[in-house]
Amino acid sequence: MRRIFTTLLSAALLLTPATAASADPAPKHREPGNGPERNEIAALIEEPASALAATERAASQGAVTLRHDRGYPRRTTLPIPPENPGDAAIKLGLTPYHAIAGKLNALQALGDRVSAEVIGRSAGGRDLYLVTVTAPESAADDWKQELGRRLIEEGHRPPRGYKAPVFYNSSIHGNEFEGVDGALRVIEELATSTDPAVVKLLKSARLYFNVVANPDGRIANTRANANGFDMNRDLVTVSQPEVRAMRQIMIDVQPVAMLDLHGYVNGTLVEPTTPPHGANYEYDLFITNTWANGLNLESAINGLGYTPAADGVNPVEIPFRDYVDGWDDWPPIFTPQYAPFHGAVIAQTIEVPLQVNNNAYNTLPVAELQRRARINTDIHATAVRGTNRHVAANADKLIKDQVEWFRRGAAGEPHRTVPLGIVPGFGPEDVYGTTFPRAYVIPNSGPAAARLVDFLVANDVRVGRALLPFRAGGANHPAGTYVVDMRQPKRGLANVILEAGQDISPRVGAMYDISGWSHGLLWGAAVQPVTDSRLRVVSTPVAAAPPTGSVPSGSGPLALELADGKDVQALNDLLRQGVAVTWKDGSAVLPSSARPAARTVADRYGVRFTRGTAGGTALAPVRITAAGSADDLFTLRELGFQVTPVNAALLNAGYDWSSTDVFYVGSGLTYAQLNPAARAALDAYLATGGVVTRGSTGTRFNTDAGLLQATAVTGNTDGNGVVRMADGSFSFVYAPHWFTGLGAGVEAEQSYATEGPLVSGHWRADEDGSGGPEAARGQAAVISGLDERGAAVVAFGTEPMFRNHPKGLFAQVASALYWSAVTSGQTAATP
């Protein structure tokens, strides 16, 4: 077999998935257009001036940590952006982005209750506004509040006078507009109200509003941000700057309650959710409080008096009570499903009823759109007011339950089984749980381990670094090994990140989105759960992983094995500098004269060079033409590749292939869409250029364009999760694919394991018994070969760049691109 990409054998020990009873499939109940997706909608996102500029821009868009020494109000004069008459909100009669800063400046000037701050910038460079509404506080009061937050996190009651924090997140989906205006309406009411209930509320609570979570999308009338990402799928990856800002808010304020303001489900949808329920929550605390506020909001929203006959508004729906499945809180990729790990014992999505986006935006009369928007805004404002009242009436209980949530983690108590009937309708189908290990051990083995540790720390998970050698899990571990002690307040989040997960296929018929993920198995670092009852490690807390880069001393060629995305970034950096690099057996080889450049990138990216031997094929910067999804483009650019996005229209208009080394096909293009001239141009390109394909679009293109001789098989399109490969490594699938009938010269680079292969997620067979994981066993998942025209082709049936998440797989794609670039142009008979 030709060696294209390095096989990474994870040292993680799989946790045994929970046993589960079978469940019959049930119809999905999913809002139109809001189900699983691949960030497919932005396949023509323009590339910044350089790939390095994109990386640097992303690094500069970090979240702002809130200060705790200033008191309130914090009067900030927000800069006002230029007027934009094309803002999509204007047509709906709603507040355009350029008017928000001015409104907030005016509200701050009305009194001493409203404070506004910039807490980050969007992917498109726009300010993100955090508004805090509370009664005035001195700097000493502010410190007292922070002391209370820390005491609660340690499982202790806060001091008297601690204010219950509440977090409202508006329009994380840009084309779900009205949350912004609902929040602004309530902020304005609270700014000046003399109602005794409001005065009391602001003395006992802090209300935080992320006023417009996705300004890029709201202006452009898109669900995604300027990078093409659905940010309400990004909370366990945190690839986007807006999501980093949201995460930091939740860490800093530790809300007891949070609402995420969305649209559109008629009647208004108010969580809690259907099964399966997140296994790492303290779900007894979560369901009792979220259910209580759900009933409270149902009463308040129905009490507005909107009716189906008069207004087109149906009564409130609560998925936990009204649906069978299809609207679950299993994956913590959504903001309300992530917030509980930072203490939110109430966390809810609110989906207002009347659609004003997508086809409705383009076809309905403006008057009708504005009528709908007014009703939706009214409902969002009512949901915020209702939650405020509920928090004011139940603050002591909410804070007590938040304390208990963290106390259980800090004490290392076993996960509790939620009693049946804890709320009406809570039955066996709602019971999910896990077994927390005593700790996780992460060897200090290079950039992948450093990235994982830094991610844990950024999520407020406590990580230690051993000062002395120790023994745990039946193995000896050297000093410098990372240890995640699971006796910590946020153990649930630590487990979400590090565990293998569960195969929940037998238990539920339909899922809202992905069902399996695992940083432990997909991010490239070895992760070992330890079940020893006693853990004796002398360690120091980690604030950031120490540097990992190295270059061997002496002289002679250097080798860089592509085992991680950081290795790819380093290699592309060297190629941009003009360093002479060759490609040999899946590794990059540098001459001895390149040692100074190697030391620079080793320090910059944390990569480790080894001694190499001269030889191989000269490697130049790989220029990619890509028909890809937003996550394809984002990840390729993040790795440092030069990417030019295309679609059928651009190719049909006459495309110059002369500056392309590899054609990447993953989304938004079929061979049938190409006109005769475009097909002829593509055929001419294939004599010298390579092709890498991914997913259903890629496999279809491979077949239709007559590239590799193989039969592509599509598994159940709802199937997704972490899978075991035949070589002992792990990968990710989403609508899994595999290949049979491999022709002469076509090789399987990776195959699914013969056992399983699903480790965690939801992947059932189709109704006729085909398409399930059993059918995929032992089948080729990634194939390669030479097209008869000379193109070197690699086809992925797995999803190695899905939503920028499986970072340990990025090097596979890069290696395929390099191999394709240096190999294309040979004849099919070339060995």
Side-chain angles (χ1 to χ4, degrees):
M1 178 183 292
R2 61 180 63 86
R3 185 165 183 249
I4 293 182
F5 49 77
T6 302
T7 297
L8 296 177
L9 298 178
S10 173
L13 301 180
L14 291 180
L15 303 182
T16 302
T19 57
S22 62
D24 292 330
K28 300 176 183 179
H29 195 301
R30 180 178 291 140
E31 56 189 297
N34 283 20
E37 68 224 12
R38 272 201 52 90
N39 300 316
E40 298 277 14
I41 59 174
L44 291 176
I45 295 174
E46 293 185 5
E47 186 169 22
S50 71
L52 183 60
T55 301
E56 291 173 345
R57 185 182 75 172
S60 69
Q61 293 174 326
V64 176
T65 299
L66 299 184
R67 292 177 59 178
H68 304 294
D69 60 348
R70 295 176 57 190
Y72 286 95
R74 302 177 181 182
R75 293 188 175 91
T76 304
T77 302
L78 303 174
I80 298 176
E83 185 174 344
N84 179 5
D87 190 309
I90 295 173
K91 180 178 179 178
L92 302 175
L94 300 173
T95 307
Y97 173 77
H98 58 258
I100 293 174
K103 278 197 171 190
L104 296 179
N105 287 338
L107 289 172
Q108 290 182 97
L110 284 178
D112 55 9
R113 295 176 178 176
V114 177
S115 303
E117 305 169 73
V118 174
I119 43 97
R121 287 182 173 81
S122 70
R126 296 180 173 91
D127 288 343
L128 303 172
Y129 308 121
L130 178 68
V131 171
T132 307
V133 185
T134 192
E137 298 177 20
S138 66
D141 293 331
D142 198 9
W143 271 115
K144 183 179 179 182
Q145 180 76 9
E146 172 60 10
L147 172 63
R149 187 196 69 80
R150 296 182 184 184
L151 286 170
I152 290 172
E153 190 176 1
E154 297 301 328
H156 304 296
R157 292 284 292 179
R160 185 187 298 267
Y162 179 79
K163 293 183 175 181
V166 186
F167 175 42
Y168 296 103
N169 203 48
S170 303
S171 296
I172 190 172
H173 291 148
N175 62 353
E176 297 168 13
F177 298 88
E178 296 90 348
V180 172
D181 286 79
L184 288 172
R185 180 184 296 180
V186 175
I187 293 168
E188 185 170 2
E189 293 167 358
L190 296 173
T192 58
S193 175
T194 58
D195 185 335
V198 170
V199 174
K200 180 180 179 182
L201 168 71
L202 299 184
K203 287 182 178 179
S204 61
R206 280 185 181 178
L207 311 177
Y208 297 92
F209 296 84
N210 187 17
V211 176
V212 52
N214 183 2
D216 301 343
R218 194 167 183 270
I219 290 169
N221 194 12
T222 61
R223 180 179 177 87
N225 69 348
N227 283 335
F229 271 67
D230 181 338
M231 295 181 293
N232 207 37
R233 305 291 185 272
D234 193 42
L235 265 297
V236 292
T237 306
V238 198
S239 67
Q240 301 303 298
E242 300 94 333
V243 178
R244 291 194 285 274
M246 294 175 221
R247 176 180 66 181
Q248 198 61 49
I249 293 169
M250 288 183 272
I251 291 171
D252 289 344
V253 311
Q254 203 166 284
V256 295
M258 80 85 58
L259 257 59
D260 210 24
L261 306 181
H262 285 256
Y264 301 94
V265 175
N266 194 1
T268 300
L269 180 145
V270 177
E271 291 179 343
T273 70
T274 68
H277 302 301
N280 289 287
Y281 297 135
E282 305 299 329
Y283 211 79
D284 57 329
L285 304 175
F286 178 77
I287 188 61
T288 51
N289 289 294
T290 302
W291 172 250
N293 196 47
L295 295 178
N296 162 55
L297 296 186
E298 177 181 44
S299 176
I301 293 167
N302 287 344
L304 291 171
Y306 295 120
T307 66
D311 311 290
V313 176
N314 295 327
V316 165
E317 300 175 359
I318 299 178
F320 174 78
R321 180 192 64 199
D322 299 331
Y323 303 173
V324 175
D325 57 17
W327 197 292
D328 56 88
D329 58 12
W330 179 255
I333 58 176
F334 316 109
T335 313
Q337 277 62 56
Y338 176 81
F341 295 113
H342 296 294
V345 294
I346 293 173
Q348 296 169 287
T349 294
I350 308 298
E351 300 271 357
V352 291
L354 300 179
Q355 188 173 17
V356 298
N357 65 359
N358 300 334
N359 188 56
Y361 187 93
N362 295 320
T363 60
L364 291 179
V366 171
E368 171 61 13
L369 289 172
Q370 293 187 359
R371 181 193 74 86
R372 293 184 176 195
R374 286 192 297 271
I375 292 174
N376 291 336
T377 299
D378 198 12
I379 291 173
H380 270 321
T382 298
V384 173
R385 294 190 201 101
T387 300
N388 287 343
R389 288 193 298 269
H390 185 79
V391 170
N394 298 279
D396 287 345
K397 180 183 186 304
L398 297 175
I399 293 170
K400 178 182 177 182
D401 285 353
Q402 189 181 71
V403 170
E404 173 64 9
W405 188 302
F406 290 139
R407 186 201 65 77
R408 294 177 187 176
E413 293 187 358
H415 196 264
R416 299 193 182 189
T417 300
V418 183
L420 301 183
I422 189 170
V423 298
F426 194 95
E429 70 280 2
D430 293 298
V431 178
Y432 286 80
T434 192
T435 300
F436 294 116
R438 178 63 184 82
Y440 285 97
V441 172
I442 306 172
N444 184 10
S445 55
R451 176 180 55 238
L452 181 55
V453 166
D454 286 342
F455 184 78
L456 288 163
V457 172
N459 280 273
D460 206 31
V461 172
R462 298 173 185 179
V463 182
R465 190 165 182 239
L467 297 173
L468 299 171
F470 66 97
R471 184 171 179 81
N476 295 320
H477 305 278
T481 300
Y482 298 109
V483 179
V484 181
D485 188 339
M486 290 295 283
R487 291 181 180 173
Q488 62 170 295
K490 297 184 179 179
R491 66 173 179 182
L493 185 52
N495 213 47
V496 158
I497 293 170
L498 295 175
E499 70 173 341
Q502 300 180 25
D503 176 2
I504 58 171
S505 307
R507 288 203 62 183
V508 61
M511 296 289 295
Y512 186 84
D513 202 86
I514 64 165
S515 317
W517 62 93
S518 175
H519 304 67
L521 297 183
L522 297 178
W523 276 38
V527 176
Q528 179 184 352
V530 174
T531 58
D532 305 10
S533 58
R534 290 189 177 184
L535 182 68
R536 296 178 179 176
V537 183
V538 179
S539 65
T540 185
V542 175
T548 59
S550 65
V551 177
S553 60
S555 60
L558 297 171
L560 180 61
E561 186 174 54
L562 299 190
D564 187 79
K566 292 293 185 182
D567 299 318
V568 180
Q569 288 179 308
L571 175 54
N572 281 334
D573 196 336
L574 291 168
L575 292 172
R576 281 194 302 270
Q577 296 177 46
V579 174
V581 179
T582 58
W583 181 254
K584 182 180 180 183
D585 296 330
S587 296
V589 178
L590 283 64
S592 185
S593 60
R595 282 177 175 269
R599 292 189 188 97
T600 298
V601 298
D603 180 65
R604 179 177 296 165
Y605 300 104
V607 300
R608 296 177 174 180
F609 289 86
T610 59
R611 299 184 190 279
T613 56
T617 305
L619 184 64
V622 176
R623 301 163 299 178
I624 302 169
T625 290
S629 61
D631 37 358
D632 288 332
L633 301 183
F634 182 88
T635 301
L636 291 171
R637 289 168 175 164
E638 183 180 61
L639 293 173
F641 289 106
Q642 176 186 324
V643 183
T644 302
V646 295
N647 59 14
L650 289 174
L651 297 183
N652 287 336
Y655 186 73
D656 181 5
W657 288 96
S658 63
S659 60
T660 301
D661 299 305
V662 181
F663 184 28
Y664 178 89
V665 182
S667 176
L669 178 71
T670 64
Y671 188 75
Q673 292 174 311
L674 301 182
N675 61 32
R679 293 185 185 185
L682 175 62
D683 284 341
Y685 160 78
L686 292 174
T688 58
V691 179
V692 173
T693 71
R694 185 270 303 163
S696 58
T697 297
T699 55
R700 180 178 177 184
F701 188 87
N702 175 79
T703 300
D704 293 348
L707 299 175
L708 298 183
Q709 184 180 344
T711 299
V713 180
T714 301
N716 188 327
T717 55
D718 282 342
N720 68 84
V722 181
V723 291
R724 189 192 305 273
M725 312 306 288
D727 57 17
S729 66
F730 300 90
S731 193
F732 185 80
V733 294
Y734 186 89
H737 293 80
W738 55 91
F739 303 92
T740 61
L742 305 189
V746 179
E747 298 188 19
E749 295 294 335
Q750 264 197 330
S751 299
Y752 294 109
T754 55
E755 295 184 5
L758 186 66
V759 174
S760 59
H762 186 268
W763 181 6
R764 290 181 167 191
D766 292 317
E767 290 184 4
D768 63 1
S770 66
E774 298 82 4
R777 289 174 180 166
Q779 301 295 336
V782 184
I783 59 174
S784 68
L786 291 174
D787 167 76
E788 62 182 10
R789 287 155 289 195
V793 181
V794 182
F796 284 87
T798 56
E799 290 288 352
M801 296 190 292
F802 183 80
R803 295 181 186 162
N804 196 239
H805 178 71
K807 299 184 184 297
L809 307 181
F810 293 174
Q812 291 184 354
V813 180
S815 295
L817 293 164
Y818 294 131
W819 175 82
S820 181
V822 302
T823 308
S824 292
Q826 301 181 32
T827 65
T830 301

